């Protein structure tokens, strides 16, 4: 007689990643083909907010629609079964150690199997969007201020005209400044 036990322990990095996502104000759900009991045990151990278990690949797509609530959805996966959900989500994030099908279906590919990469991807995305908004503000502010000067708005009051050479230099400086 023999007893065989098989377990796939939760990585400590997974707990930290979920805690960091919660700290960013995000809700975390697990959509899995595993049994409900197994999924709930993992969710309790890691702090996952919502569990949908026992689903097939097309069920993952339906689960994403169910979870949407008018907001945007990011889905993280690594397997062939995750490819439809990765393609259907607003942002599909594939674990780089996963299957080629999942990697092709995703918008973002993490190079390692560490879920903290998801947290880093969100942080990089937020910083990039902030940088884009700041650049657009400064570009519009700079041009709003200097285009009237180049058009001669100061001439009637002060007799000052901006030479074309200086206007071209100001436009070049605008690109460098922004």
């Amino acid at each position: 007689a023999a007893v065989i036990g098989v377990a796939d322990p939760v990585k400590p990095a997974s707990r930290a990643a979920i805690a960091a996502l919660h700290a960013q104000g995000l809700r975390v759900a697990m959509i899995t083909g595993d049994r409900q009991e197994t999924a709930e045990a993992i969710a309790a151990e890691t702090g996952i907010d919502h569990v949908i278990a026992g689903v097939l690949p097309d069920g993952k797509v339906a689960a994403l629609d169910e979870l949407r609530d008018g907001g945007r959805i990011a889905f993280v996966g690594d397997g062939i079964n995750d490819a439809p959900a990765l393609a259907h989500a607003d942002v599909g994030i594939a674990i780089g150690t996963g299957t080629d099908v999942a990697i092709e279906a995703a918008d973002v590919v993490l190079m390692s199997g560490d879920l903290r990469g998801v947290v880093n991807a969100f942080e990089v995305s937020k910083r990039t969007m902030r940088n884009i908004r700041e650049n657009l503000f400064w570009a519009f502010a700079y041009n709003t201020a200097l285009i009237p000067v180049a058009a001669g708005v100061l001439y009637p009051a002060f007799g000052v005209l901006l030479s074309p050479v200086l206007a071209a230099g100001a436009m070049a400086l605008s690109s460098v400044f922004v």
Side-chain angles (χ1 to χ4, degrees):
V3 174
I4 298 175
V6 179
D8 189 9
V10 175
K11 297 176 187 174
S14 299
R15 289 184 201 102
I18 291 167
L21 291 170
H22 283 147
Q24 290 183 7
L26 300 172
R27 292 182 301 144
V28 180
M30 178 170 51
I31 305 170
T32 180
D34 292 337
R35 293 180 36 208
Q36 186 73 30
E37 298 81 11
T38 304
E40 286 178 2
I42 291 169
E45 186 178 344
T46 58
I48 292 173
D49 303 312
H50 187 72
V51 174
I52 301 172
V55 295
L56 298 173
D58 59 339
K60 291 183 180 186
V61 171
L64 287 177
D65 289 334
E66 195 178 298
L67 292 170
R68 194 168 300 274
D69 286 340
R72 293 192 291 189
I73 297 278
F75 182 85
V76 181
D78 67 351
I80 292 172
N81 293 338
D82 296 327
L86 286 165
H88 184 72
D90 295 311
V91 179
I93 303 173
I95 304 296
T97 56
T99 64
D100 290 341
V101 173
I103 291 169
E104 288 296 323
D107 302 305
V108 177
V109 179
L110 303 177
M111 297 309 292
S112 73
D114 189 343
L115 284 180
R116 289 177 291 193
V118 174
V119 178
N120 293 340
F122 278 115
E123 186 62 32
V124 167
S125 174
K126 286 178 186 174
R127 289 181 185 197
T128 301
M129 291 307 296
R130 184 180 70 222
N131 193 341
I132 289 169
R133 283 192 279 290
E134 288 173 356
N135 285 347
L136 285 172
F137 169 78
W138 285 113
F140 284 121
Y142 189 90
N143 287 320
T144 300
L146 289 183
I147 286 175
V149 173
V153 77
L154 297 178
Y155 185 74
F158 303 104
V160 175
L161 281 175
L162 187 62
S163 83
V165 173
L166 288 177
M171 288 308 296
L173 185 62
S174 164
S175 297
V176 172
F177 180 69
V178 169

